[in-house]
């Protein structure tokens, strides 16, 4: 057990020095690199699909991601990953770790040209509800979004579009005040805009994002070896008979009272032999 503890400390130090861990947020269909961008044989992971089914009461039954790993544009591994069922490839492990809601949007200008399309993840909280912000490409304006549900549990997005007021007085923290362009509540399929806004926001659907933990730990084998040593030592300790010996040594008294306290696994018939063997050793007569 002591050896296992030492090996575990060495493994933990090696993991901290040479290991790599990265949290990656992926919306549906999104692909992102793992590790340092531009490295040779760099990995890219793709969220092919995320699933988080619920019971009738709204509790989550499970959550999992259909995850693919690509190298040089070729898929080299693919698996449905869960918290305790990671995908492993070339020393990397990819665990399901977290998830949350997202809004699939299309933002177009006044003539219908597409400015932005994709899934905006709600990674923050405002008044206890999922919250997100999104800048408008080619425009100084931006939108704030809050995910809400009506009395029937149907998801809707409360959206506020605003633009910086360059003539306004900055606040104490230096931020520029905003002028609201429009505010609206969008259900799936709705469009929000206002005369003179310059753009419109179309909510296609409410989706989800997944959070993957990518980890590469060259010291993982040391941790497993340490765990095996600790468990082996613990099993030996629990199975081995134990006993405690009490001696009372008093000045000027030639005799030494002995008390033997036995614990699990000790054969009571052996008590006398154990005490006699201890007595011979203490008296210098050998075993």
């Amino acid at each position: 057990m002591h050896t296992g503890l030492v090996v575990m400390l060495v493994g933990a130090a090696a993991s901290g020095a040479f290991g790599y861990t990265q949290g990656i947020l992926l919306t549906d269909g999104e692909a992102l690199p793992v590790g340092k961008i531009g490295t040779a044989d760099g990995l890219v992971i793709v969220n092919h699909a995320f699933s988080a089914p619920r019971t009738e009461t709204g509790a989550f039954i499970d959550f999992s991601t259909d995850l693919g790993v690509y190298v040089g544009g070729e898929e080299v591994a693919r698996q449905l990953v869960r918290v305790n069922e990671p995908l492993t490839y070339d020393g990397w492990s990819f665990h399901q770790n977290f998830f949350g809601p997202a809004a699939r949007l299309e933002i177009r200008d006044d003539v219908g040209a597409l400015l932005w399309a994709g899934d905006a993840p709600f990674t923050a909280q405002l008044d206890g509800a999922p919250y997100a912000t999104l800048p408008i490409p080619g425009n100084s304006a931006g939108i704030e979004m809050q995910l809400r549900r009506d009395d029937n549990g149907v998801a809707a997005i409360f959206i506020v579009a605003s633009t910086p007021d360059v003539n306004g007085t900055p606040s104490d923290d230096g931020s520029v005040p905003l002028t609201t362009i429009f505010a609206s509540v969008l259900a799936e399929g709705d469009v929000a805009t206002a005369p003179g806004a310059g753009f419109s926001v179309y909510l296609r659907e409410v989706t989800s994002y997944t959070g993957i933990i990518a980890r590469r730990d060259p010291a993982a084998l040391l941790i497993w070896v340490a765990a095996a040593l600790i468990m082996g030592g613990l099993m030996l300790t629990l199975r081995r008979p134990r006993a405690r010996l009490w001696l009372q040594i008093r000045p000027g008294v030639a005799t030494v009272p002995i008390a033997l306290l036995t614990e699990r696994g000790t054969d009571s018939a052996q008590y006398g032999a154990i005490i006699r063997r201890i007595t011979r050793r203490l008296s210098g007569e050998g075993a």
Side-chain angles (χ1 to χ4, degrees), residues 102-123:
R104 185 162 296 167
L105 306 172
E106 289 183 6
I107 302 176
R108 298 181 180 272
D109 63 15
D110 288 337
V111 297
L114 184 64
L115 298 177
W116 188 86
D119 289 14
F122 291 87
T123 57

Side-chain angles (χ1 to χ4, degrees), residues 205-219:
E205 61 179 317
V206 176
T207 61
S208 302
Y209 67 82
T210 184
I212 300 296
I213 295 296
R215 179 175 290 114
R216 189 168 195 172
D217 187 0

Side-chain angles (χ1 to χ4, degrees), residues 180-238:
T180 300
I181 303 174
F182 63 82
S184 181
V185 177
L186 299 180
E188 292 184 352
D190 290 345
V191 178
T193 188
F199 62 91
S200 62
V201 180
Y202 168 52
L203 175 61
R204 292 184 59 188
E205 61 179 317
V206 176
T207 61
S208 302
Y209 67 82
T210 184
I212 300 296
I213 295 296
R215 179 175 290 114
R216 189 168 195 172
D217 187 0
L221 181 59
L222 286 176
I223 300 298
W224 283 110
V225 170
L229 289 172
I230 291 173
M231 291 303 298
L234 183 61
M235 291 177 63
L236 289 174
T237 300
L238 293 176

